[in-house]
Amino acid sequence: MRKSNQSIPSYLNDFLDWLEIQKGLSSKSQENYARFLKKFLDWLEKNELANIKPYELSPDHIWKYRVFLSRQCVASNSGQPLKKSTQNYYLIALRSLLNYFADKDILSLPAEKIQLARDKGDKQVRFLVLEQLEKLFKVPNVSKIEGLRDRAILETLFSTGMRISELTALNRNQIKIKPNSKEELELSIIGKGGRVRTVYFSERTLFWLNKYLETRKDNEKALFINYRSKKNAPRRLSNRSIEKSMKKYVIMSGLPLNTTPHVMRHSFSTDLLAKGVDLRTIQEFLGHKSILATQIYTHITSKQLKEIHRKYHSDIK
């Protein structure tokens, strides 16, 4: 590692180039990162730190910036303090800048020193509503093979309620799509604890899977493969690779930063529950050994149930 005499703000353009070339981010993603990072650069200037070098950045600086985001910084559209999820967008951009310094062998604070803001609701089940899901589905660039693969992955996660490890274990020969068929696909998988269950691929999901599979000219066994793996390395997509891709799409779509592949499983479950499906059936869909594991979803529709009770039962004397 080397000490650089350049100021942190002077690295902005090279950092954005790094996001494009090294991380493969689109111009839109680069714009988002630039916007989030500008908040930090403006804060440096306001606090007479515009000439600070990467190696001079300290945990104390980070702490003061976090206090600024939490207490002084306000959302331009509402005039209210920034939400925890929004604060995290700015912190993630700063983390990426520190990762850039590390990649360039420039001495600086490790990215791990920046902790994300915690929300009191973090322990609650997180899920996306249909409008948010559609927003997420439309982010991957389906004109490129990686984007088409990722669209198929997102659709599959929501359609089946699979765990990410179950999805990455899928093989191509398990997906048999009949030409012009409008039927769902039923597939038996071995889930957590060795329990066998049936998952269902919707017609829409099969459409995207078929478009993705039509691009596959290789002989790889795995259903979802990595297009950037080293020569002779296994190409089956890993859990980590999917998590990283999804994190990128979440940032691009403006969804809560705590949206993970497992949130898709929660979204699958809560969508069924909200539509009246009973817990025992959802338990079968998810492959839970005990109904107690499935009951974590019951609180989500409590508000909806309250509205139903008020509408249909409040007139009883």
Side-chain angles (χ1 to χ4, degrees):
M1 291 287 184
R2 60 184 175 86
K3 285 187 177 182
S4 171
N5 289 320
Q6 285 184 237
S7 66
I8 289 177
S10 70
Y11 282 100
L12 178 60
N13 289 334
D14 194 53
F15 167 66
L16 296 177
D17 290 340
W18 178 79
L19 289 177
E20 176 187 1
I21 297 170
Q22 192 69 20
K23 296 300 180 181
L25 297 191
S26 67
S27 57
K28 182 63 177 177
S29 296
Q30 293 170 55
E31 288 176 16
N32 288 336
Y33 271 92
R35 178 163 53 87
F36 294 135
L37 198 55
K38 187 177 184 301
K39 185 75 69 178
F40 177 66
L41 301 183
D42 288 346
W43 178 84
L44 288 177
E45 184 172 358
K46 185 177 180 181
N47 288 274
E48 300 182 352
L49 293 168
N51 295 318
I52 191 172
K53 315 298 189 298
Y55 68 88
E56 294 174 331
L57 190 66
S58 70
D60 186 56
H61 291 131
I62 300 301
W63 174 250
K64 289 178 180 178
Y65 178 57
R66 289 189 61 186
V67 171
F68 163 73
L69 290 176
S70 179
R71 298 179 184 174
Q72 301 176 44
C73 191
V74 297
S76 58
N77 58 340
S78 66
Q80 298 296 316
L82 295 180
K83 295 180 180 178
K84 298 292 185 183
S85 58
T86 306
Q87 292 175 39
N88 285 338
Y89 281 115
Y90 295 109
L91 295 175
I92 285 176
L94 185 52
R95 268 185 178 179
S96 295
L97 179 65
L98 298 187
N99 282 326
Y100 156 78
F101 287 141
D103 191 57
K104 295 290 187 177
D105 291 325
I106 297 171
L107 185 63
S108 185
L109 197 68
E112 295 74 23
K113 290 293 184 179
I114 300 180
Q115 298 180 352
L116 299 184
R118 292 187 62 84
D119 196 325
K120 291 181 179 179
D122 277 352
K123 293 183 179 180
Q124 296 180 351
V125 174
R126 300 186 295 272
F127 66 98
L128 302 178
V129 297
L130 294 181
E131 182 181 356
Q132 291 174 310
L133 286 165
E134 288 293 351
K135 195 173 182 181
L136 180 62
F137 291 154
K138 291 177 181 178
V139 174
N141 183 357
V142 295
S143 66
K144 297 182 179 180
I145 190 169
E146 289 183 336
L148 196 54
R149 175 204 64 195
D150 293 344
R151 175 68 185 262
I153 287 173
L154 293 174
E155 295 277 359
T156 299
L157 285 170
F158 179 64
S159 176
T160 63
M162 282 187 180
R163 299 177 178 90
I164 187 173
S165 58
E166 296 167 345
L167 180 132
T168 55
L170 291 175
N171 293 322
R172 287 169 73 180
N173 62 7
Q174 292 178 271
I175 307 300
K176 303 184 187 301
I177 305 174
K178 299 177 182 178
N180 303 317
S181 174
K182 294 187 178 299
E183 296 180 3
E184 290 191 345
L185 172 68
E186 298 180 18
L187 181 65
S188 293
I189 65 169
I190 299 176
K192 190 175 180 180
R195 289 185 289 278
V196 178
R197 78 176 191 279
T198 302
V199 294
Y200 300 86
F201 295 77
S202 67
E203 179 186 345
R204 169 170 151 161
T205 301
L206 292 178
F207 169 81
W208 287 106
L209 276 171
N210 191 49
K211 286 182 72 70
Y212 161 63
L213 289 172
E214 285 176 348
T215 67
R216 293 280 298 274
K217 309 301 180 185
D218 56 84
N219 296 317
E220 291 291 328
K221 180 180 179 182
L223 176 59
F224 296 114
I225 61 173
N226 192 332
Y227 292 98
R228 299 186 182 186
S229 57
K230 296 180 181 178
K231 190 176 181 180
N232 299 324
R235 295 187 65 187
R236 184 181 294 275
L237 209 58
S238 67
N239 294 6
R240 179 60 181 153
S241 294
I242 293 177
E243 289 168 349
K244 287 177 67 176
S245 293
M246 187 164 178
K247 185 175 182 179
K248 175 181 70 175
Y249 294 135
V250 165
I251 291 174
M252 292 172 66
S253 61
L255 294 177
L257 290 176
N258 53 16
T259 301
T260 64
H262 204 71
V263 168
M264 302 295 281
R265 180 170 160 89
H266 292 327
S267 303
F268 163 81
S269 307
T270 52
D271 181 58
L272 291 176
L273 189 63
K275 291 175 178 175
V277 179
D278 64 273
L279 277 180
R280 288 291 181 186
T281 302
I282 295 175
Q283 178 189 359
E284 292 297 321
F285 277 130
L286 295 176
H288 285 162
K289 184 177 181 180
S290 169
I291 191 67
L292 295 177
T294 316
Q295 286 176 339
I296 61 171
Y297 300 106
T298 57
H299 76 281
I300 294 170
T301 55
S302 60
K303 184 177 180 181
Q304 182 184 19
L305 292 174
K306 182 179 180 181
E307 292 301 320
I308 292 173
H309 184 276
R310 180 182 296 138
K311 183 176 181 179
Y312 295 105
H313 202 68
S314 60
D315 60 340
I316 297 177
K317 306 298 183 184

